[in-house]
Amino acid sequence: MSFTFSCNLYYSVLYQTRINIHTTDMSFNVYCQTSKRKDYTYKLVELSDDLVDYIKKGKGSLSFKSPKSIDNHLVLCTDDETYTVRQQNHSNTTILMNDAHVNKLKQKFETTDSSLVGIEQLSYTYELTKSSGYIDTAGIAKYPGGDVKSSKNIDQVKADSPVDAAHFEKQWYGLCGSTIDGYAVLLETDFITDALYTLISILLSLSKANEEYDLQQVASKCESQNTKLTKEIVATLSHRFGEETSPSRFKLDQNKCAWWFGVETMKKASPSLLTEKEFMLKWKSSLPPFFSASLDLSFLRGNFCRPQSDKIRYLNPEMLSKDLHARIKELFQMVKEWDYEEFLSFIDSFIPATKKKDSVIVKFARKKRVGKNKFVVCPR
């Protein structure tokens, strides 16, 4: 749910009470008697300098958005930024302004240069914090397998998602979102793997695996091999695993493709516990023939652990706690001693940019040197 508004200020003022305010530099006369309006209520939002400049220069629209699936979550979106809105309660607050010329009752002031006017009383304000936002996936069908016609259309998804328009597209393709007959869908994992395999194979046959390709041409060849691989599906894969170099022209990122096949191979590995050599052979065999992507286990950090020093297994990061301290405890319950980089990959996104990674780690764990350039992390 969202609504867009224009930034105009409307108010009425009744002057009656006079108060003297003294500061170190000057004195102010304050005139104030505000009464609650019955037809609307003021909401005070604290704006950053960037937002004030955005409004003054008319750079774009402002929209309040809230997901239908979650209560009490509100964001303010510009065309390219998202701000989480948080209510700050307080008491005995009156909004003052220094324009005494706004004087509907013709109150006479001793001087207009040092007079303040009270325009409204509030018990709370809204604080804005810049955030990445997210797409609300409630009510979006899976494809194939879901009831597509019960799904939302893409405009409904945008309206219900607390994220700005500029970041919506990147997040949408990151989720492998697409459309079928105008309905928004999320591609299922196995379908993505098969579709990506087909896309890479066709690009190899065209000698385009590492070059730019035309979306329409490649999508037509994909659909001839699998009718479910429509242009919209191929566009989703191209955005998710490559980049748009110019309108309707893309280039695949081989590392992104290799990462996907690596994670999926690790998820389905049987037995689940493998030596690095065993896993690398399975990973290589999962790729389309002649696809010469570089394979490095470091690509998959944040998706595996080492229950035994010489073996690895898949670890789903989504199953871990979103609280940093709790997540670290969970990691040590699975493995008592972690390679430093592999441990960091599971907690890096939870560490504020203003803090050093090591200072956060040593707060909850110990970092030890075990070689010239090798460190491990273990419980305190």
Side-chain angles (χ1 to χ4, degrees):
M1 178 178 62
S2 67
F3 64 90
T4 305
F5 62 94
S6 59
C7 301
N8 297 313
L9 179 63
Y10 300 93
Y11 54 83
S12 62
V13 183
L14 175 65
Y15 310 104
Q16 181 171 320
T17 304
R18 173 177 172 176
I19 306 171
N20 292 321
I21 296 179
H22 299 278
T23 69
T24 55
D25 298 323
M26 59 192 304
S27 297
F28 291 92
N29 296 317
V30 177
Y31 296 85
C32 176
Q33 179 178 316
T34 57
S35 59
K36 295 291 184 182
R37 293 293 299 264
K38 295 181 179 180
D39 51 346
Y40 58 84
T41 303
Y42 288 106
K43 305 288 185 180
L44 184 64
V45 181
E46 298 180 24
L47 302 178
S48 64
D49 291 340
D50 289 342
L51 273 172
V52 172
D53 183 66
Y54 180 89
I55 294 169
K56 283 183 174 181
K57 294 183 178 179
K59 294 181 178 179
S61 64
L62 284 174
S63 300
F64 279 112
K65 305 180 75 176
S66 179
K68 286 186 176 180
S69 59
I70 299 178
D71 293 332
N72 301 321
H73 184 72
L74 184 68
V75 298
L76 176 65
C77 295
T78 66
D79 288 343
D80 56 5
E81 294 290 353
T82 301
Y83 298 84
T84 300
V85 181
R86 185 171 68 92
Q87 182 172 309
Q88 284 189 314
N89 295 326
H90 47 74
S91 60
N92 300 324
T93 300
T94 299
I95 303 177
L96 303 176
M97 62 185 298
N98 63 359
D99 189 355
H101 297 289
V102 181
N103 185 358
K104 293 186 177 182
L105 297 186
K106 308 300 182 183
Q107 173 71 42
K108 293 182 179 180
F109 299 117
E110 293 179 359
T111 171
T112 58
D113 293 332
S114 59
S115 296
L116 299 176
V117 176
I119 66 168
E120 181 63 286
Q121 291 178 320
L122 297 172
S123 59
Y124 59 85
T125 60
Y126 290 122
E127 179 186 55
L128 302 180
T129 304
K130 190 176 290 188
S131 66
S132 56
Y134 68 90
I135 292 177
D136 184 7
T137 58
I140 304 177
K142 295 286 188 179
Y143 182 81
D147 182 6
V148 173
K149 292 187 178 180
S150 69
S151 190
K152 302 175 180 179
N153 62 45
I154 197 68
D155 289 334
Q156 289 173 321
V157 176
K158 289 179 179 179
D160 291 342
S161 296
V163 62
D164 59 90
H167 290 91
F168 175 87
E169 182 176 278
K170 182 178 180 180
Q171 292 190 24
W172 179 242
Y173 290 126
L175 293 171
C176 282
S178 192
T179 58
I180 300 294
D181 297 329
Y183 297 99
V185 295
L186 297 175
L187 304 185
E188 292 185 332
T189 301
D190 288 344
F191 178 78
I192 295 169
T193 303
D194 293 341
L196 182 59
Y197 192 101
T198 300
L199 173 60
I200 293 173
S201 298
I202 287 174
L203 290 175
L204 286 168
S205 70
L206 297 172
S207 300
K208 298 284 188 180
N210 199 32
E211 297 180 13
E212 288 185 0
Y213 59 89
D214 177 72
L215 177 62
Q216 183 63 51
Q217 177 192 14
V218 173
S220 177
K221 290 186 175 295
C222 287
E223 193 167 11
S224 68
Q225 290 200 17
N226 184 342
T227 56
K228 291 182 178 179
L229 295 184
T230 62
K231 181 181 177 181
E232 290 77 17
I233 299 293
V234 176
T236 292
L237 296 175
S238 299
H239 279 284
R240 174 64 179 81
F241 297 102
E243 62 175 343
E244 190 170 14
T245 54
S246 60
S248 296
R249 294 191 65 82
F250 292 84
K251 182 178 180 180
L252 277 191
D253 185 323
Q254 294 192 349
N255 287 343
K256 289 182 180 179
C257 296
W259 174 88
W260 179 269
F261 284 105
V263 171
E264 290 306 302
T265 298
M266 194 175 290
K267 283 182 185 178
K268 299 174 181 178
S270 181
S272 59
L273 200 58
L274 299 169
T275 64
E276 287 190 29
K277 184 177 180 180
E278 290 171 335
F279 169 71
M280 295 300 287
L281 288 172
K282 287 180 178 291
W283 188 5
K284 180 65 177 177
S285 64
S286 72
L287 299 170
F290 309 110
F291 185 52
S292 57
S294 298
L295 304 185
D296 192 319
L297 195 60
S298 64
F299 291 172
L300 308 183
R301 284 173 181 160
N303 290 280
F304 68 88
C305 62
R306 298 178 186 270
Q308 299 177 20
S309 59
D310 60 338
K311 292 187 177 182
I312 60 174
R313 72 169 176 83
Y314 175 67
L315 174 57
N316 186 356
E318 297 300 319
M319 299 300 292
L320 297 174
S321 172
K322 302 302 181 185
D323 175 76
L324 177 60
H325 192 193
R327 173 172 282 226
I328 289 175
K329 285 184 177 180
E330 291 171 352
L331 291 172
F332 284 133
Q333 287 172 356
M334 298 174 207
V335 178
K336 292 300 181 184
E337 188 172 271
W338 284 79
D339 172 84
Y340 175 78
E341 296 295 340
E342 291 173 6
F343 181 83
L344 183 62
S345 63
F346 281 100
I347 66 169
D348 200 14
S349 61
F350 294 84
I351 299 176
T354 55
K355 292 189 176 182
K356 293 183 178 179
K357 294 177 175 56
D358 282 1
S359 65
V360 174
I361 289 176
V362 298
K363 185 178 179 180
F364 304 108
R366 293 173 57 209
K367 179 182 176 182
K368 297 192 304 183
R369 183 191 294 272
V370 293
K372 184 177 180 181
N373 294 308
K374 184 173 176 60
F375 296 87
V376 295
V377 181
C378 55
R380 293 181 64 86

